[in-house]
PDB file of all heavy atoms in Angstrom:
ATOM      1  N   GLU A1279       7.073 -16.918  15.228  1.00 89.00           N
ATOM      2  CA  GLU A1279       5.854 -16.763  14.409  1.00 89.00           C
ATOM      3  C   GLU A1279       6.060 -17.230  12.958  1.00 89.00           C
ATOM      4  O   GLU A1279       5.206 -17.745  12.368  1.00 89.00           O
ATOM      5  CB  GLU A1279       5.275 -15.450  14.533  1.00 89.00           C
ATOM      6  CG  GLU A1279       4.813 -14.991  15.823  1.00 89.00           C
ATOM      7  CD  GLU A1279       4.228 -13.722  15.808  1.00 89.00           C
ATOM      8  OE1 GLU A1279       4.873 -12.741  15.971  1.00 89.00           O
ATOM      9  OE2 GLU A1279       3.052 -13.622  15.654  1.00 89.00           O
ATOM     10  N   GLN A1314      13.851 -12.204   1.405  1.00 95.00           N
ATOM     11  CA  GLN A1314      13.118 -11.079   0.885  1.00 95.00           C
ATOM     12  C   GLN A1314      12.095 -10.495   1.950  1.00 95.00           C
ATOM     13  O   GLN A1314      11.319  -9.722   1.529  1.00 95.00           O
ATOM     14  CB  GLN A1314      12.480 -11.414  -0.464  1.00 95.00           C
ATOM     15  CG  GLN A1314      13.444 -11.705  -1.520  1.00 95.00           C
ATOM     16  CD  GLN A1314      12.765 -11.700  -2.852  1.00 95.00           C
ATOM     17  OE1 GLN A1314      11.706 -12.452  -2.953  1.00 95.00           O
ATOM     18  NE2 GLN A1314      13.228 -11.072  -3.947  1.00 95.00           N
ATOM     19  N   GLU A1317      10.842  -6.122   5.375  1.00 94.00           N
ATOM     20  CA  GLU A1317      10.166  -5.356   6.454  1.00 94.00           C
ATOM     21  C   GLU A1317      10.652  -5.927   7.886  1.00 94.00           C
ATOM     22  O   GLU A1317      10.907  -5.258   8.836  1.00 94.00           O
ATOM     23  CB  GLU A1317       8.665  -5.446   6.357  1.00 94.00           C
ATOM     24  CG  GLU A1317       8.050  -4.812   5.136  1.00 94.00           C
ATOM     25  CD  GLU A1317       8.030  -5.842   3.901  1.00 94.00           C
ATOM     26  OE1 GLU A1317       8.731  -6.867   3.991  1.00 94.00           O
ATOM     27  OE2 GLU A1317       7.381  -5.600   2.973  1.00 94.00           O
ATOM     28  N   ASP A1318      10.741  -7.348   7.857  1.00 96.00           N
ATOM     29  CA  ASP A1318      11.178  -7.970   9.176  1.00 96.00           C
ATOM     30  C   ASP A1318      12.627  -7.711   9.353  1.00 96.00           C
ATOM     31  O   ASP A1318      12.945  -7.577  10.523  1.00 96.00           O
ATOM     32  CB  ASP A1318      10.698  -9.414   9.085  1.00 96.00           C
ATOM     33  CG  ASP A1318       9.237  -9.698   8.755  1.00 96.00           C
ATOM     34  OD1 ASP A1318       8.450  -8.903   9.346  1.00 96.00           O
ATOM     35  OD2 ASP A1318       8.958 -10.520   7.815  1.00 96.00           O
ATOM     36  N   ASP A1413      -3.398   6.783 -22.333  1.00 93.00           N
ATOM     37  CA  ASP A1413      -3.311   8.231 -22.625  1.00 93.00           C
ATOM     38  C   ASP A1413      -1.673   8.654 -22.570  1.00 93.00           C
ATOM     39  O   ASP A1413      -1.217   9.429 -23.350  1.00 93.00           O
ATOM     40  CB  ASP A1413      -3.975   8.959 -21.457  1.00 93.00           C
ATOM     41  CG  ASP A1413      -5.332   9.350 -21.758  1.00 93.00           C
ATOM     42  OD1 ASP A1413      -5.810   8.872 -22.831  1.00 93.00           O
ATOM     43  OD2 ASP A1413      -6.094   9.893 -20.940  1.00 93.00           O
ATOM     44  N   THR A1439       4.764  -3.060  -9.930  1.00 94.00           N
ATOM     45  CA  THR A1439       3.533  -2.418  -9.738  1.00 94.00           C
ATOM     46  C   THR A1439       3.336  -1.286 -10.690  1.00 94.00           C
ATOM     47  O   THR A1439       4.328  -0.690 -11.165  1.00 94.00           O
ATOM     48  CB  THR A1439       3.501  -1.789  -8.220  1.00 94.00           C
ATOM     49  OG1 THR A1439       4.529  -0.646  -8.234  1.00 94.00           O
ATOM     50  CG2 THR A1439       3.671  -2.759  -7.214  1.00 94.00           C
ATOM     51  N   GLU A1600      -9.010   3.691   4.189  1.00 93.00           N
ATOM     52  CA  GLU A1600      -9.542   4.317   2.894  1.00 93.00           C
ATOM     53  C   GLU A1600     -10.843   5.027   3.111  1.00 93.00           C
ATOM     54  O   GLU A1600     -11.624   4.525   3.881  1.00 93.00           O
ATOM     55  CB  GLU A1600      -9.707   3.145   2.010  1.00 93.00           C
ATOM     56  CG  GLU A1600      -9.977   3.332   0.529  1.00 93.00           C
ATOM     57  CD  GLU A1600     -10.159   2.088  -0.228  1.00 93.00           C
ATOM     58  OE1 GLU A1600      -9.065   1.520  -0.707  1.00 93.00           O
ATOM     59  OE2 GLU A1600     -11.287   1.529  -0.571  1.00 93.00           O
ATOM     60  N   LEU A1601     -10.966   6.198   2.500  1.00 93.00           N
ATOM     61  CA  LEU A1601     -12.238   6.854   2.517  1.00 93.00           C
ATOM     62  C   LEU A1601     -12.876   6.700   1.194  1.00 93.00           C
ATOM     63  O   LEU A1601     -12.282   6.737   0.160  1.00 93.00           O
ATOM     64  CB  LEU A1601     -11.882   8.402   2.619  1.00 93.00           C
ATOM     65  CG  LEU A1601     -11.674   8.880   4.063  1.00 93.00           C
ATOM     66  CD1 LEU A1601     -11.235  10.317   3.966  1.00 93.00           C
ATOM     67  CD2 LEU A1601     -12.901   8.726   5.023  1.00 93.00           C
TER      68      LEU A1601
ATOM     69  N   ARG B 449     -12.249   4.910 -21.369  1.00 90.00           N
ATOM     70  CA  ARG B 449     -13.103   5.995 -21.855  1.00 90.00           C
ATOM     71  C   ARG B 449     -14.174   5.506 -22.898  1.00 90.00           C
ATOM     72  O   ARG B 449     -14.806   6.297 -23.397  1.00 90.00           O
ATOM     73  CB  ARG B 449     -12.315   7.146 -22.463  1.00 90.00           C
ATOM     74  CG  ARG B 449     -11.520   7.939 -21.450  1.00 90.00           C
ATOM     75  CD  ARG B 449     -11.479   9.412 -21.755  1.00 90.00           C
ATOM     76  NE  ARG B 449     -10.888  10.058 -20.760  1.00 90.00           N
ATOM     77  CZ  ARG B 449      -9.484  10.471 -20.687  1.00 90.00           C
ATOM     78  NH1 ARG B 449      -8.671  10.131 -21.695  1.00 90.00           N
ATOM     79  NH2 ARG B 449      -8.997  11.090 -19.690  1.00 90.00           N
ATOM     80  N   ALA B 553     -18.413   9.644   3.472  1.00 73.00           N
ATOM     81  CA  ALA B 553     -16.891   9.551   3.381  1.00 73.00           C
ATOM     82  C   ALA B 553     -16.410   8.930   4.545  1.00 73.00           C
ATOM     83  O   ALA B 553     -15.574   9.374   5.314  1.00 73.00           O
ATOM     84  CB  ALA B 553     -16.492  11.024   3.164  1.00 73.00           C
ATOM     85  N   GLY B 556     -12.798   3.289   5.943  1.00 86.00           N
ATOM     86  CA  GLY B 556     -12.834   1.767   6.080  1.00 86.00           C
ATOM     87  C   GLY B 556     -11.364   1.272   5.753  1.00 86.00           C
ATOM     88  O   GLY B 556     -10.366   1.951   5.682  1.00 86.00           O
ATOM     89  N   ARG B 562      -8.705  -5.042   3.152  1.00 93.00           N
ATOM     90  CA  ARG B 562      -9.823  -5.928   2.824  1.00 93.00           C
ATOM     91  C   ARG B 562      -9.491  -7.360   2.429  1.00 93.00           C
ATOM     92  O   ARG B 562     -10.073  -8.235   2.780  1.00 93.00           O
ATOM     93  CB  ARG B 562     -10.680  -5.184   1.855  1.00 93.00           C
ATOM     94  CG  ARG B 562     -11.322  -3.881   2.240  1.00 93.00           C
ATOM     95  CD  ARG B 562     -12.394  -3.491   1.291  1.00 93.00           C
ATOM     96  NE  ARG B 562     -12.052  -3.183  -0.062  1.00 93.00           N
ATOM     97  CZ  ARG B 562     -11.472  -2.033  -0.411  1.00 93.00           C
ATOM     98  NH1 ARG B 562     -11.498  -0.964   0.361  1.00 93.00           N
ATOM     99  NH2 ARG B 562     -11.209  -1.945  -1.752  1.00 93.00           N
ATOM    100  N   ARG B 599      -0.407  -8.663  -5.434  1.00 94.00           N
ATOM    101  CA  ARG B 599       0.704  -8.048  -4.746  1.00 94.00           C
ATOM    102  C   ARG B 599       0.646  -8.269  -3.318  1.00 94.00           C
ATOM    103  O   ARG B 599       1.616  -8.519  -2.482  1.00 94.00           O
ATOM    104  CB  ARG B 599       0.773  -6.559  -5.053  1.00 94.00           C
ATOM    105  CG  ARG B 599       1.376  -6.198  -6.414  1.00 94.00           C
ATOM    106  CD  ARG B 599       1.740  -4.707  -6.366  1.00 94.00           C
ATOM    107  NE  ARG B 599       0.687  -3.822  -5.980  1.00 94.00           N
ATOM    108  CZ  ARG B 599      -0.225  -3.302  -6.885  1.00 94.00           C
ATOM    109  NH1 ARG B 599      -0.196  -3.701  -8.091  1.00 94.00           N
ATOM    110  NH2 ARG B 599      -1.155  -2.595  -6.525  1.00 94.00           N
ATOM    111  N   ARG B 606       6.477 -13.636   0.705  1.00 96.00           N
ATOM    112  CA  ARG B 606       7.905 -13.167   0.883  1.00 96.00           C
ATOM    113  C   ARG B 606       8.247 -13.143   2.229  1.00 96.00           C
ATOM    114  O   ARG B 606       9.313 -13.469   2.573  1.00 96.00           O
ATOM    115  CB  ARG B 606       7.827 -11.794   0.249  1.00 96.00           C
ATOM    116  CG  ARG B 606       9.034 -11.086   0.121  1.00 96.00           C
ATOM    117  CD  ARG B 606       9.091  -9.829  -0.797  1.00 96.00           C
ATOM    118  NE  ARG B 606       8.176  -8.833  -0.529  1.00 96.00           N
ATOM    119  CZ  ARG B 606       8.307  -8.017   0.574  1.00 96.00           C
ATOM    120  NH1 ARG B 606       9.166  -8.141   1.402  1.00 96.00           N
ATOM    121  NH2 ARG B 606       7.398  -7.057   0.618  1.00 96.00           N
ATOM    122  N   ARG B 607       7.346 -12.741   3.175  1.00 96.00           N
ATOM    123  CA  ARG B 607       7.622 -12.685   4.612  1.00 96.00           C
ATOM    124  C   ARG B 607       7.409 -13.987   5.315  1.00 96.00           C
ATOM    125  O   ARG B 607       7.688 -14.030   6.536  1.00 96.00           O
ATOM    126  CB  ARG B 607       6.805 -11.528   5.269  1.00 96.00           C
ATOM    127  CG  ARG B 607       7.166 -10.115   4.658  1.00 96.00           C
ATOM    128  CD  ARG B 607       6.397  -9.099   5.305  1.00 96.00           C
ATOM    129  NE  ARG B 607       6.658  -8.810   6.686  1.00 96.00           N
ATOM    130  CZ  ARG B 607       5.957  -8.206   7.568  1.00 96.00           C
ATOM    131  NH1 ARG B 607       4.883  -7.480   7.011  1.00 96.00           N
ATOM    132  NH2 ARG B 607       6.177  -8.107   8.808  1.00 96.00           N
ATOM    133  N   ARG B 623      -1.293 -13.661  13.815  1.00 88.00           N
ATOM    134  CA  ARG B 623      -1.047 -12.264  14.437  1.00 88.00           C
ATOM    135  C   ARG B 623      -0.468 -11.302  13.402  1.00 88.00           C
ATOM    136  O   ARG B 623      -0.809 -10.237  13.287  1.00 88.00           O
ATOM    137  CB  ARG B 623      -0.146 -12.362  15.615  1.00 88.00           C
ATOM    138  CG  ARG B 623      -0.058 -11.088  16.404  1.00 88.00           C
ATOM    139  CD  ARG B 623       1.131 -11.156  17.369  1.00 88.00           C
ATOM    140  NE  ARG B 623       2.334 -11.045  16.676  1.00 88.00           N
ATOM    141  CZ  ARG B 623       2.985  -9.943  16.223  1.00 88.00           C
ATOM    142  NH1 ARG B 623       2.317  -8.794  16.345  1.00 88.00           N
ATOM    143  NH2 ARG B 623       4.129 -10.003  15.573  1.00 88.00           N
TER     144      ARG B 623
END
Side-chain angles (χ1 to χ4, degrees):
Chain A
E1279 289 185 276
Q1314 294 187 314
E1317 299 87 338
D1318 302 314
D1413 271 0
T1439 64
E1600 189 176 277
L1601 278 174
Chain B
R449 294 217 173 92
R562 293 195 297 272
R599 280 199 306 273
R606 186 164 61 69
R607 295 180 63 190
R623 188 197 68 82

